[in-house]
Amino acid sequence: MCTTLTHDVDATCAQIARLQEVGCEIARVAVPDKRAADALPELVRRSILPVVADIHFDWRLAMAALDAGVHKLRLNPGNIHNKDGVREVVKKARARKTPIRIGVNHGSIGDRKPDDTRDEAQRMVDLAMSEIGILESLDFGDIVVSVKAFDVPTMIAAYRRLAKLVPYPLHLGVTEAGTLVSGSIRSTAGMSVLLYEGIGDTIRVSLSEDPVMEVTAGFDILKSLGLRDQGLTLVACPSCGRADIDLIPLAKVAEERLRALPHPMKVAVMGCEVNGPGEAKDADVGIAGGVGKGALFRKGKVVGVYPESELLDALMAEVDKILVENGLEPYSDKAPKLSHEGQLTPGRSVPAGTRT
């Protein structure tokens, strides 16, 4: 989901472009007021991704979003008190063949009544079924559903139960998951279980972070489960006392320089010959550290030995060589470069041998 103010079309389109570059396929924008709704026609026209309009409470904003040509509404009909307005929205969505996503979040299901014996997962499922029932009663079936919760066991239970009850696509997420590390772990713990079971059609990793990081975390989840094969898969050992190379910063820089790789490739960054070509032999290409030098290998076979200061440049060159051998364009010239201060920057290169 975009974090920009939707009425700032330039900023929102720029963020959507950044999200698309790292693999995002659908962009959701907040539409809290008329100012945001008025910006939607231009935003939809300029966006390189399908746009989902996030609507709460005001049916007129949903109508404006549909008129603007958005590709999906995120809308809970039960939150709109004007029932005639709900009917108008559904009528127009049906005519335009625009899906509606019902989004139930655990934090918004209300306080439990004293005589309510249901668990939290069931309360979420029941609310989702109630919202679905409103749309179905209006002869609308182009529905997507989510039942997100912060508590992972509750989230898993809710999606499992809902998947048995409805034929509709499910949008997965752990809501308000947290900051980059803890939120990514929590999201992975919840969504991986469901995805492995075949539950889920779209995902969002919700982080208190740049949304670009949400997308990269999401793709890492999918790649780990073998559900997507896109771009970089980095294999890196955890480092230990055997390592004769400064592995951790080297792995981080390699990951950042290769992050935008447009073609599937498994790249290994290993600390020593013990964990090098042998343990990472399924990697397309990799490097393994030694004393002041390191080996470059492909599919477990060493193809060169380089001074430590030249190892990353050798890796990038070998990545290009693999791409060209497969009829693809080289990547290294498009990758982020290293400045003389060791910082990644999109526009400046640095002589071979510079490393962080």
Side-chain angles (χ1 to χ4, degrees):
M1 184 169 181
C2 292
T3 57
T4 55
L5 296 173
T6 303
H7 65 258
D8 188 341
V9 176
D10 288 340
T12 303
C13 285
Q15 187 171 77
I16 289 174
R18 289 176 56 227
L19 295 172
Q20 190 271 342
E21 286 177 359
V22 294
C24 182
E25 296 172 347
I26 303 171
R28 179 155 55 107
V29 299
V31 187
D33 51 35
K34 186 175 183 301
R35 191 179 183 188
D38 290 343
L40 286 176
E42 182 183 359
L43 179 60
V44 171
R45 180 180 62 82
R46 290 173 52 184
S47 174
I48 58 177
L49 293 178
V51 175
V52 180
D54 195 278
I55 308 290
H56 294 273
F57 309 118
D58 193 337
W59 68 276
R60 294 167 297 183
L61 297 176
M63 294 292 281
L66 290 167
D67 287 336
V70 299
H71 302 86
K72 181 163 66 177
L73 294 178
R74 194 281 198 185
L75 173 76
N76 288 349
N79 288 342
I80 298 176
H81 300 299
N82 187 320
K83 301 311 174 187
D84 290 334
V86 172
R87 282 189 286 270
E88 291 301 312
V89 170
V90 171
K91 180 180 178 181
K92 181 163 286 192
R94 185 189 306 111
R96 292 181 175 272
K97 298 182 179 180
T98 304
I100 295 176
R101 175 164 75 87
I102 290 169
V104 173
N105 283 355
H106 178 249
S108 61
I109 62 174
D111 296 332
R112 178 188 293 274
K113 294 181 179 179
D115 60 346
D116 190 346
T117 60
R118 298 172 298 169
D119 63 18
E120 296 301 288
Q122 192 60 46
R123 294 178 71 211
M124 294 174 65
V125 170
D126 289 345
L127 179 55
M129 294 301 295
S130 175
E131 298 282 358
I132 291 169
I134 294 172
L135 295 183
E136 289 180 334
S137 71
L138 297 171
D139 194 28
F140 189 86
D142 198 355
I143 301 169
V144 182
V145 193
S146 63
V147 280
K148 299 181 181 181
F150 175 79
D151 181 71
V152 169
T154 297
M155 171 262 195
I156 291 173
Y159 276 107
R160 281 174 170 167
R161 295 175 195 178
L162 188 63
K164 296 178 180 179
L165 296 175
V166 299
Y168 304 120
L170 299 180
H171 173 68
L172 303 187
V174 176
T175 191
E176 301 160 354
T179 52
L180 180 59
V181 175
S182 61
S184 296
I185 293 171
R186 185 174 292 274
S187 296
T188 302
M191 288 192 283
S192 292
V193 171
L194 295 167
L195 290 167
Y196 189 75
E197 294 175 356
I199 297 172
D201 299 273
T202 58
I203 69 171
R204 181 198 173 189
V205 178
S206 300
L207 302 176
S208 301
E209 184 54 85
D210 186 326
V212 166
M213 300 306 298
E214 296 185 344
V215 177
T216 54
F219 263 107
D220 284 343
I221 292 172
L222 296 177
K223 286 191 291 185
S224 296
L225 293 169
L227 297 175
R228 282 295 180 91
D229 186 15
Q230 178 173 326
L232 171 71
T233 298
L234 185 74
V235 179
C237 67
S239 190
C240 68
R242 291 192 302 267
D244 292 309
I245 195 170
D246 201 1
L247 176 72
I248 294 174
L250 181 63
K252 288 181 178 179
V253 173
E255 181 176 38
E256 288 305 313
R257 291 203 66 190
L258 291 165
R259 172 63 75 177
L261 193 67
H263 305 286
M265 190 176 297
K266 183 177 287 188
V267 180
V269 180
M270 312 300 284
C272 70
E273 63 276 8
V274 174
N275 288 333
E279 291 195 15
K281 62 185 177 182
D282 62 333
D284 296 296
V285 62
I287 52 178
V291 180
K293 61 184 178 181
L296 176 71
F297 58 90
R298 289 174 62 168
K299 294 294 185 181
K301 295 184 178 180
V302 175
V303 295
V305 176
Y306 297 86
E308 181 180 348
S309 62
E310 298 176 11
L311 202 50
L312 183 58
D313 289 332
L315 175 64
M316 298 297 293
E318 199 69 19
V319 166
D320 281 349
K321 186 177 178 181
I322 292 172
L323 293 172
V324 171
E325 288 173 358
N326 286 277
L328 303 169
E329 293 184 359
Y331 166 77
S332 59
D333 287 343
K334 303 173 184 177
K337 308 298 181 183
L338 285 175
S339 71
H340 288 284
E341 293 77 27
Q343 300 297 316
L344 286 161
T345 169
R348 292 182 294 171
S349 60
V350 65
T354 299
R355 57 185 290 272
T356 58

